[in-house]
Amino acid sequence: AQKITQTQPGMFVQEKEAVTLDCTYDTSDPSYGLFWYKQPSSGEMIFLIYQGSYDQQNATEGRYSLNFQKARKSANLVISASQLGDSAMYFCAMRSPLDQGGKLIFGQGTELSVKP
Amino acid sequence: EPEVTQTPSHQVTQMGQEVILRCVPISNHLYFYWYRQILGQKVEFLVSFYNNEISEKSEIFDDQFSVERPDGSNFTLKIRSTKLEDSAMYFCASETGLSYNEQFFGPGTRLTVL
């Protein structure tokens, strides 16, 4: 069975500093995708970044990068130069192959607070 | 930019009543999903839908739940007889299925069962 674990219920970071949000996963599928979503207090789910299990390079999207360590089964999100608007819940998710339904399995989330 | 839409944004109902949550996925998408999030908890998968049938459903998705794509654009989630514990945010999502790239989420419907 697939599982996603986020061990940091809450994190604080100073504005303009970098922060790493941890995510570990477990799966027996050789092919999978890893995602990070941001959920501000307004409730919507905002896609941030995606990493494929066969991707050789770590994914980057602007200030977001994914530190993918396949052997350790970790997919940590790094946010550089934190902004006040980054304060939100962050969810790591893994998806099963489409021929198995394609569902996303989410971790418990990490609440990030950016201090001015 | 195309987006997934959901109506209503907030629904209040009495326990035992039927509710229908509506979603309009992005027009060229082929795979559709419903997720729910109980307040303060993680997002949980309910059901996936492809080619007019359910691909997978979770343990949460019992006989009280059903999904339908009645007209080629709307994608609905029906709860036949709501319970207090059905109170949650319900998210619809869709994707093209061409790659592993993102599922596009709607803004959610907050369901409150009294």
Side-chain angles (χ1 to χ4, degrees):
Chain A
Q2 297 178 320
K3 188 178 179 183
I4 288 278
T5 303
Q6 294 179 255
T7 57
Q8 305 156 313
M11 289 280 287
F12 289 92
V13 64
Q14 204 68 36
E15 193 179 7
K16 298 180 185 176
E17 293 186 350
V19 63
T20 297
L21 306 184
D22 294 341
C23 173
T24 58
Y25 62 91
D26 192 21
T27 181
S28 56
D29 289 317
S31 179
Y32 50 89
L34 296 158
F35 298 77
W36 279 91
Y37 283 84
K38 172 184 178 182
Q39 187 178 43
S41 57
S42 50
E44 72 266 33
M45 296 290 286
I46 301 169
F47 166 76
L48 295 179
I49 196 166
Y50 160 80
Q51 178 83 43
S53 58
Y54 293 120
D55 293 343
Q56 295 296 314
Q57 292 191 325
N58 287 343
T60 59
E61 288 285 348
R63 295 187 297 113
Y64 304 107
S65 60
L66 200 152
N67 184 1
F68 181 46
Q69 297 190 43
K70 196 170 183 177
R72 293 186 177 183
K73 293 189 175 179
S74 74
N76 298 339
L77 177 71
V78 181
I79 305 174
S80 63
S82 297
Q83 301 171 357
L84 296 178
D86 293 335
S87 294
M89 282 291 287
Y90 288 81
F91 291 98
C92 180
M94 177 170 58
R95 67 170 301 167
S96 58
L98 275 172
D99 58 2
Q100 296 176 26
K103 69 185 178 196
L104 285 169
I105 298 164
F106 287 84
Q108 295 285 355
T110 295
E111 184 167 9
L112 177 66
S113 298
V114 180
K115 295 181 175 180
Chain B
E1 185 174 329
E3 58 184 18
V4 178
T5 59
Q6 290 185 243
T7 54
S9 57
H10 191 186
Q11 172 114 31
V12 181
T13 189
Q14 295 290 326
M15 189 170 57
Q17 294 296 305
E18 174 183 288
V19 295
I20 297 176
L21 309 183
R22 301 181 193 281
C23 167
V24 180
I26 295 173
S27 62
N28 64 337
H29 286 190
L30 301 176
Y31 293 80
F32 313 109
Y33 306 85
W34 282 101
Y35 296 87
R36 81 169 186 192
Q37 184 182 31
I38 294 171
L39 187 64
Q41 298 186 22
K42 68 178 180 181
V43 178
E44 300 173 290
F45 166 75
L46 290 178
V47 64
S48 57
F49 192 86
Y50 168 71
N51 201 23
N52 282 320
E53 60 183 27
I54 291 174
S55 307
E56 186 180 6
K57 57 184 180 180
S58 71
E59 293 175 354
I60 303 166
F61 195 88
D62 62 21
D63 292 344
Q64 293 300 313
F65 291 87
S66 63
V67 289
E68 201 175 38
R69 189 159 158 80
D71 55 11
S73 64
N74 290 285
F75 179 50
T76 61
L77 174 70
K78 182 194 290 187
I79 309 175
R80 255 179 281 280
S81 177
T82 50
K83 302 187 281 269
L84 295 176
E85 53 265 39
D86 293 329
S87 294
M89 180 76 95
Y90 288 81
F91 291 103
C92 171
S94 71
E95 65 170 292
T96 60
L98 295 177
S99 69
Y100 265 124
N101 284 347
E102 65 171 302
Q103 289 181 10
F104 291 77
F105 277 74
T109 292
R110 180 163 296 285
L111 176 66
T112 302
V113 182
L114 302 176

